Amino acid sequence: MFGPKIFAILAGLYIVCQLLYIIYYAIGLMQFNPFVKLKPLTEADRQVLFDNFPVYRKLPHLLKKKCEERIQWFLSRKKFVFYGDVARQGDIKLILSGSIVLMTLGLKNYKMRRSLLRIIVYPSQYYSRIGRRHHFGEYNPFFKTVVFSAEKLWEGFKIPNDNINLAMHEFAHALSHEMKRKGSWEALKFRVGFKRIKTLLTLDGFRGQLETTCYFREYGMTNPQEFFSVAVENYVETPTKFRADFPELYGIVKSMLKFEFR
């Protein structure tokens, strides 16, 4: 039988181990975990990025290196959860990381610590218990979670210029939430840009141009937040046309993201 001293030592070790585990878990949850090593991208990883992101192919060496370093961080620090039989999970992690990193490449803040803790992926359309309906993708600011249908996710990358990209759309929602209450200069500029977009949407001439050209998806007219996310899709996929047809709006989005996809 254990003596009282041995029992006390074992009990103390157990408590210490539990405390260390809680601290380790908390650090991981806050994405500051120093024990997680960043894994360098392989040539196969770079090929996936090359195949799915036209702008990645055009990046100069230093900017491409910056992009890859941020993707490594995102892959290692964010929690990816797959439900069901989701194929090509490694590639999905890569294109999702690439999407948010490229969208925020011009910003100092790319880690999305306030707005994004985990990413959930289903094979196809899924039922949202919160929204109580079927979805292909959604962002939940309360749980700091983005949810995707893998099927629709890949569809968004098959045609690079149809202005439909589920990854960019949902991550644009997360970025907006990230910038809401931050005190940084770039967050302030982002909020100023968003206010300018809201003002544009109240102008009859601008709304008339939207209806006449049909350049932006009708879903974007749901509210200013949805319009911004739809505008980001267009900004990423058809930047030249965007700039030519809607120069003022293009300039606003450019000032918010501080990066061009041309």
Side-chain angles (χ1 to χ4, degrees):
M1 295 181 65
F2 291 116
K5 289 185 178 179
I6 296 177
F7 181 82
I9 292 172
L10 290 174
L13 287 173
Y14 176 81
I15 292 171
V16 169
C17 288
Q18 287 295 312
L19 287 173
L20 288 174
Y21 176 78
I22 291 171
I23 293 171
Y24 178 85
Y25 180 80
I27 290 174
L29 187 64
M30 294 173 63
Q31 303 164 61
F32 287 103
N33 194 332
F35 303 106
V36 176
K37 293 183 179 180
L38 303 185
K39 296 180 180 179
L41 299 183
T42 66
E43 285 306 314
D45 293 336
R46 292 188 179 91
Q47 188 61 49
V48 172
L49 296 172
F50 186 89
D51 292 341
N52 290 282
F53 296 100
V55 68
Y56 172 79
R57 310 168 198 168
K58 305 174 186 177
L59 292 177
H61 175 71
L62 289 178
L63 206 52
K64 188 173 290 186
K65 182 180 178 182
K66 176 183 176 182
C67 176
E68 292 180 1
E69 287 174 350
R70 290 187 173 191
I71 288 174
Q72 290 172 38
W73 184 93
F74 203 88
L75 283 168
S76 300
R77 307 298 175 138
K78 298 298 179 180
K79 178 72 173 177
F80 290 86
V81 181
F82 293 90
Y83 289 123
D85 187 18
V86 180
R88 300 177 64 187
Q89 293 184 12
D91 289 350
I92 287 176
K93 288 182 181 180
L94 199 57
I95 65 165
L96 288 175
S97 300
S99 296
I100 197 164
V101 165
L102 284 166
M103 188 178 68
T104 60
L105 195 57
L107 303 174
K108 290 183 179 179
N109 170 49
Y110 68 96
K111 296 181 178 179
M112 311 285 277
R113 287 189 167 125
R114 296 186 178 204
S115 61
L116 186 59
L117 290 179
R118 66 176 182 162
I119 298 163
I120 297 174
V121 183
Y122 289 89
S124 56
Q125 190 181 49
Y126 61 92
Y127 182 76
S128 171
R129 293 180 181 179
I130 297 174
R132 295 185 178 181
R133 61 189 179 93
H134 287 86
H135 283 273
F136 290 116
E138 63 182 316
Y139 171 64
N140 188 304
F142 182 79
F143 292 106
K144 300 180 180 180
T145 299
V146 180
V147 189
F148 294 105
S149 152
E151 180 183 4
K152 285 295 179 181
L153 189 64
W154 283 117
E155 285 182 13
F157 288 93
K158 282 181 181 177
I159 306 175
N161 59 355
D162 63 352
N163 296 325
I164 299 176
N165 189 301
L166 183 63
M168 292 294 182
H169 184 96
E170 299 304 338
F171 283 139
H173 283 310
L175 179 61
S176 292
H177 190 73
E178 179 79 14
M179 296 296 196
K180 272 185 179 179
R181 294 180 180 85
K182 291 195 72 171
S184 66
W185 174 246
E186 67 182 13
L188 177 61
K189 287 190 69 175
F190 187 96
R191 292 195 295 271
V192 168
F194 193 79
K195 287 180 181 178
R196 291 176 64 193
I197 290 176
K198 290 174 71 175
T199 300
L200 277 178
L201 290 172
T202 65
L203 303 179
D204 291 338
F206 183 77
R207 294 183 70 91
Q209 186 183 7
L210 293 178
E211 294 171 3
T212 301
T213 61
C214 298
Y215 175 60
F216 298 98
R217 282 191 290 135
E218 187 177 350
Y219 183 65
M221 302 307 294
T222 306
N223 55 56
Q225 181 59 65
E226 290 298 345
F227 182 77
F228 170 71
S229 289
V230 167
V232 167
E233 293 178 85
N234 292 51
Y235 186 81
V236 170
E237 297 214 336
T238 55
T240 302
K241 182 172 177 57
F242 193 157
R243 186 181 185 186
D245 294 353
F246 292 87
E248 183 178 3
L249 179 60
Y250 181 92
I252 294 172
V253 177
K254 178 184 174 183
S255 72
M256 295 169 77
L257 301 183
K258 298 170 67 177
F259 179 71
E260 289 189 276
F261 284 79
R262 294 187 300 145

